[in-house]
Amino acid sequence: MFSSTRVGINARSQLLRHTPVAGPSRVRLVLASRNVSTIPIGGSKDGSPKSQEGSSFEDKIAILEHINRKGFPSDFDHSKIPFDLLDHYIPQPLAVVKHSGGSKLKDTLTWVKGRLSNSWLNAINLFFWARQKPFLGIAGLARPKRRWSPQVFLAQSTSPSSWLAPLRETALDVYIKMNEAQSKGDLKSLPGLSAGRMLDENRKRIKALGSDKTVVWKFHGEASPTQCLSVRSLDQDTYQAGGAKGAKQLIMAQVLMKLDTYQSLQIYDKRSGKLLASKGTPESPARVTEYVVFERRLLSPGQWYIRDQLFPGVELKKNSLGF
């Protein structure tokens, strides 16, 4: 079943849970909710899974039962299974927490507990990530020789030699490409760079701008190094022939990155060329700090993409799936 040992106590339940069945490295899908309207699988007359939207609840039950008996089809897209956003943590200065209006002692203890808990969860996740191949879900990146390393406690390090340095570079690259695609109104590229709430927001922004405006967005460098703040993941148990329990397998990973960059944004009227709005200029770019959640599905081909954006001191409001 999905493991909860590497997410905090606030992690929400998943749409699907797994229970073992006999068979080589196979898991059994069981519905944990009747809200299956977003499960991206349909069924043909013979019950074999295929892509089909608008299937009834009964159709999807039949498809899940087919998967229970025969396992996932080779072309099944695991990236379409909806997961909640995990319990990421944005560290804040103690001075900010103390001015929240509550008991200073209680606020201080909560602050210490939050920091220690986040550091521990980061270390546990990195320890298990170290046995995955490819490491960090980045093609061509070799996994560390030793899982037992001080590096598991350095998730928030910005050192070029830290384990997460390649992932920080990847995250910044995806962030830049997503903003470029959004500024160009490139709806075809956005699904590969963002998903869930972030993809919805990108589409809404493009639609709101309309086709009569020209958007010019430029990246002008980092104000401070990109930093990973929290590392979370979900795994599942695997079972060998005869029902023997195998090693856990990671199915999804999320990281919260702090991106502190210099940017410029200008919006022009396409016909007249008149400047309608501006934030920063190429000569004097604006400093923008954002906290962005990146996600990677590990059971299917793909890449890291942006899942959501968080804000310090603001509790995230999710729908039932958080997707």
Side-chain angles (χ1 to χ4, degrees), residues 3 53 91 108 138 144 184 186-187 225-226 228 274 278 294 297-298 302 310 319:
S3 170
E53 297 181 358
T108 300
I138 299 176
K184 296 175 182 177
D186 186 358
L187 292 171
T226 298
C228 178
K274 180 182 178 181
S278 176
F294 292 81
R297 302 300 177 94
L298 302 173
L310 305 184
N319 56 29

Side-chain angles (χ1 to χ4, degrees), residues 5-244:
T5 58
R6 296 199 287 286
V7 296
I9 58 175
N10 295 324
R12 297 170 63 92
S13 60
Q14 303 302 318
L15 173 64
L16 302 175
R17 64 180 185 269
H18 288 62
T19 56
V21 294
S25 301
R26 198 181 283 181
V27 295
R28 183 184 181 193
L29 284 172
V30 183
L31 281 176
S33 167
R34 288 188 62 87
N35 185 9
V36 295
S37 60
T38 57
I39 297 179
I41 48 178
S44 59
K45 292 182 179 180
D46 61 359
S48 60
K50 68 175 185 178
S51 176
Q52 177 179 329
E53 297 181 358
S55 299
S56 68
F57 177 79
E58 289 73 17
D59 290 337
K60 290 170 182 175
I61 290 291
I63 295 158
L64 290 176
E65 287 301 322
H66 177 90
I67 295 174
N68 287 342
R69 295 191 305 269
K70 299 185 178 181
F72 286 108
S74 59
D75 59 347
F76 181 77
D77 188 358
H78 295 80
S79 67
K80 300 300 184 182
I81 300 177
F83 289 107
D84 275 332
L85 195 68
L86 302 181
D87 59 329
H88 294 283
Y89 178 82
I90 301 178
Q92 296 189 73
L94 180 58
V96 174
V97 176
K98 282 186 174 181
H99 286 85
S100 63
S103 168
K104 291 185 178 181
L105 176 59
K106 183 178 180 180
D107 288 343
T108 300
L109 292 176
T110 300
W111 179 82
V112 172
K113 180 181 178 181
R115 292 232 167 188
L116 291 176
S117 176
N118 184 55
S119 296
W120 176 245
L121 288 171
N122 288 349
I124 293 175
N125 277 278
L126 279 184
F127 176 77
F128 281 92
W129 284 19
R131 69 180 178 186
Q132 300 300 309
K133 187 178 180 180
F135 184 47
L136 305 179
I138 299 176
L141 187 62
R143 60 187 178 186
K145 295 181 180 179
R146 295 185 298 115
R147 294 171 62 193
W148 294 100
S149 168
Q151 285 280 2
V152 300
F153 299 103
L154 301 178
Q156 296 186 5
S157 171
T158 57
S159 169
S161 61
S162 68
W163 277 1
L164 294 183
L167 181 54
R168 295 197 303 271
E169 294 177 2
T170 297
L172 180 61
D173 182 60
V174 172
Y175 174 79
I176 293 172
K177 288 179 178 178
M178 187 199 73
N179 279 282
E180 290 176 341
Q182 181 181 250
S183 66
K184 296 175 182 177
D186 186 358
L187 292 171
K188 292 184 178 180
S189 298
L190 283 174
L193 300 168
S194 58
R197 192 193 310 274
M198 183 57 68
L199 179 57
D200 291 340
E201 289 297 321
N202 287 335
R203 287 169 171 166
K204 288 178 183 177
R205 290 167 186 166
I206 291 175
K207 184 177 180 180
L209 283 170
S211 59
D212 59 341
K213 299 178 183 66
T214 299
V215 180
V216 180
W217 178 89
K218 291 186 178 180
F219 171 75
H220 299 279
E222 294 178 282
S224 63
T226 298
Q227 182 183 21
C228 178
L229 299 181
S230 67
V231 181
R232 302 291 187 267
S233 58
L234 286 175
D235 60 32
Q236 67 183 9
D237 294 322
T238 60
Y239 294 83
Q240 305 300 324

Side-chain angles (χ1 to χ4, degrees), residues 246-259:
K248 289 184 179 293
Q249 180 182 34
L250 282 182
I251 59 174
M252 187 268 284
Q254 292 180 358
V255 292
L256 173 63
M257 294 284 184
K258 177 184 177 182
L259 295 156

Side-chain angles (χ1 to χ4, degrees), residues 212-216 266-270 273-277:
D212 59 341
K213 299 178 183 66
T214 299
V215 180
V216 180
Q266 284 76 44
I267 302 177
Y268 300 91
D269 181 87
K270 186 172 288 187
K274 180 182 178 181
L275 180 64
L276 303 176

